[in-house]
Amino acid sequence: MQLTGAQALIRSLEQEGVDTIFGLPGGAILPVYDPLLDSSIRHILVRHEQGAGHMAEGYALATGRPGVAMVTSGPGATNIVTPIGNAHMDSTPLVVITGQVATASIGTDAFQECDITGITMGITKHNFLVQSAQEIPRAVAAAFHLATTGRPGPVLIDVPKDVTQSMMDWWYPASVEEYDLPGYRPEVELDQEAVDRAVALITESERPVLYVGGGTLKSRAAQELLAFAERTGMPVVTTLMARGAFPDSHEQHLGMPGMHGMYTAVTAIQKSDLLISLGARFDDRVTGKVPTFAAGAKVIHVDIDRAEFNKVRQADVAIQSNVAAVLTAFDAARATPRNLDVWWKTINDWRDQYPLVYDEPTAEGPLRPQHVIEAIAAKAAPGTIVAAGVGQHQMWASQHWKFEEPGTWINSGGAGTMGFGVPAAIGAKVGRPDRTVWCIDGDGCFQMTAQELTTARSEGIPIKVAILNNAYLGMVRQWQEMFYEERYSEVYLSADLPDYVKWAEAMGCVGLRARTLKEMHEVIDEANTINDVPVVIDFRTDASEKVFPMVAAGASNDDIIVHPLQRGARQ
Amino acid sequence: MSPPEPYLGEVSRTPVRHHILSVLVENKAGVLARIAGLFARRGFNIYSLAVAPAESHARFSRVTIVVDAESAPLEQIVGQLDKLVNVVAISDLSPRDAVERELLLATLPLDDGHRSAMLDTITKAGASIVDVSSTSVTVMLAGTPGACDELERALEDFAEVELHRTGRVALPRLG
């Protein structure tokens, strides 16, 4: 059967089970948009290509399936570079298709030409410049294979216009062998000797901590984790990338570690004698000053990517594997630590002494951002998905929302991409239309990508956005207050400019505002009754609120700064 | 205050810890850029690099990279390199377990005053003359990196020498 390259591209995406493409057409990708009309694949027309990328990420994080975005060459391609970089940092499976100028024009500075494979070389797992229409099926099949296996990540396929316009004989690779990836070995055999050594370390341990990272979610190991944790009685911490991998309601869960982690999670790691890292990468936001991080702990490092071993912290035992397989092997060996009663007594004392606290809300406002999040959570349906931008609101959302299952927390971890929240929430809602999706956003973040609410309205994607509007770039303001002698430089945004309610209404959404406690409860209730269009709520919050606990950048986790309300108790 | 000298990087002919990575890669467009880009963004130093088609000519190339293992742990370099999809196999050859060779070409002016000293240097090094004109001569040495170092040092005594080295290639020592 003869097809155009464009038809073959769409058909290949269908072969991979793609149900949604987030994209925006343009000159070089035009041929591909024509057969899209005849396809069952849903296309979401974004207002900016960055939105397409973040939507694809939100879709992937909520569903566990790869997100797909399609844009044109040149500026279309460069506009999606940020989401690609973001997905690379967070190991999110993404397939991004970019149009390219015709083969003969490549290298001539043609209109809307840019070297997008060169630009994204360092921020993709791999990328392809497709040279002929006949090669399209192989490139697509290989891209999905690469994006979703091993350590997942973004893969870019750059397709010149003449390639999509020329004819090919339809075929599709029947197996991995036909993908032509001789250098790609995503899985290695489990090293039983390393597992045995790890089991020996576990058996000796008296103060173990399960340090759970995003890789646990990527390898769909939540069930294995729960079983292992419950059998061994070990305390669990979940990093920003792993929220939802272990239920927050579980007694053994100490919460999130790191710069804005729970006091108990941070301190338990510091005092542990064995750290079992499951798909985590010892990020600087978790370790603080590396030489003093869990200085007395032995380390078992489980990761699918061997380049993570000994990159930041020397491992006593490194096991290259997906997390699920290792936990199964630990259980098969009945790996059990010593009696943990004393350890739990210590941990529970920390919990009692340093719970998560914030200042009492006042009836007339301004609102406490932490309280707003808790109020939304209290009225949210079980299984609600939460997306966030980046900054104070993101940390508060991670701290104060209770995540109970995988795929319910959508955020930008490694890259820290402001503006991630709104489009990621849209993508998550597309992937999980059965779920309520809240975006907890900041006023700074919202202004970066809010135009995608027009997309959401026109495509019928009813997300709910809570802007914690403190009129500042809040996290930067916090640092300037704490570390730059309150010299506020370029952080003020104004609470009233733009008018978020009018802006929401202009985009066809419902816009609401809350300044007092009474209004806060009313608008949340009202938002919960609206299920046909997006809702945006402008919550006026206290600009002086800071995220605590906090470990200052470069400081030791031992020097964690607790909330002012708790400081007397500490001395 | 005078402006600071421009930073030219660590200039050292013989750093302490060299490692040779013999890397089999797919012979595809941009593969070298992927390797170079990886080294640049991870802050790994390349001391020398040689590329040529490998055994099965069309499909694979062999890249011999001499890395400065002081710039990053070798385990990191190999681990990151292995993640490049186009990298098929990596052998890590420590210099003492490898046979290494390198090619040096040098064009020297035929200066009457130094003619015999020059010829003496060339002969001693075991280099051969591969091109001659009325005013200059081009010599070649294929040898160990050490031998090339020695000849290069010896030629520093003469003015206006143009010298090129290929960077080394290597194979594991037999037994």
Side-chain angles (χ1 to χ4, degrees), chain A residues 127 180 185 305 307 310, chain B residues 34 59 75-76 82-83 88:
Chain A
N127 58 29
D180 189 28
R185 295 163 303 273
D305 177 2
N310 308 322
Chain B
R34 288 178 200 276
R59 194 154 180 225
E75 178 192 23
Q76 253 303 291
D82 195 39
K83 281 203 282 181
V88 179

Side-chain angles (χ1 to χ4, degrees), chain A residues 298-488:
Chain A
K298 292 224 160 62
V299 171
I300 299 170
H301 195 167
V302 179
D303 207 292
I304 192 83
D305 177 2
R306 70 163 162 148
E308 290 303 336
F309 300 141
N310 308 322
K311 185 181 80 175
V312 175
R313 172 67 180 257
Q314 201 68 27
D316 295 274
V317 179
I319 309 175
Q320 189 184 3
S321 170
N322 72 72
V323 172
V326 171
L327 289 174
T328 305
F330 284 172
D331 261 336
R334 306 306 286 173
T336 310
R338 298 197 176 172
N339 187 306
L340 301 181
D341 290 352
V342 177
W343 183 219
W344 273 111
K345 166 86 177 61
T346 312
I347 287 170
N348 286 329
D349 284 349
W350 291 326
R351 273 178 166 168
D352 292 344
Q353 208 174 351
Y354 298 108
L356 196 58
V357 292
Y358 55 91
D359 288 314
E360 193 69 28
T362 54
E364 69 280 9
L367 302 167
R368 300 276 177 221
Q370 306 94 326
H371 187 226
V372 174
I373 293 167
E374 289 182 356
I376 294 171
K379 294 169 191 252
T384 293
I385 294 171
V386 181
V390 166
Q392 286 184 312
H393 68 277
Q394 173 195 25
M395 293 297 108
W396 284 319
S398 177
Q399 289 178 338
H400 292 269
W401 198 279
K402 296 282 172 262
F403 297 98
E404 298 297 321
E405 58 172 314
T408 52
W409 171 236
I410 313 288
N411 95 128
S412 163
T417 304
M418 285 181 67
F420 178 80
V422 166
I426 294 169
K429 181 71 178 169
V430 170
R432 297 299 304 268
D434 54 319
R435 300 289 182 102
T436 301
V437 178
W438 272 96
C439 172
I440 307 288
D441 218 355
D443 46 324
C445 281
F446 183 81
Q447 291 190 58
M448 289 194 176
T449 50
Q451 79 283 345
E452 298 308 338
L453 284 167
T454 309
T455 305
R457 171 58 208 258
S458 62
E459 297 277 349
I461 308 163
I463 62 163
K464 304 181 201 305
V465 182
I467 305 171
L468 303 181
N469 179 3
N470 63 359
Y472 278 93
L473 297 169
M475 188 60 94
V476 184
R477 185 197 177 284
Q478 172 168 346
W479 284 48
Q480 289 179 346
E481 180 183 330
M482 294 176 72
F483 309 119
Y484 291 86
E485 298 161 338
E486 298 180 49
R487 286 161 55 84
Y488 298 114

Side-chain angles (χ1 to χ4, degrees), chain A residues 9-10 13 21-22 29 32 68-72 77 80 95-99 140 144 155-159 164:
Chain A
L9 180 54
I10 294 298
L13 295 174
I21 297 173
F22 303 93
I29 197 71
V32 186
V68 182
M70 183 159 75
V71 298
T72 195
I80 205 164
V95 173
V96 176
I97 295 154
T98 49
V140 172
F144 278 85
V155 179
L156 180 138
I157 308 173
D158 198 23
V159 199
T164 50

Side-chain angles (χ1 to χ4, degrees), chain A residues 533-547:
Chain A
V533 294
V535 186
V536 176
I537 310 177
D538 173 15
F539 290 102
R540 297 299 176 93
T541 62
D542 189 338
S544 68
E545 276 295 333
K546 289 179 285 297
V547 185

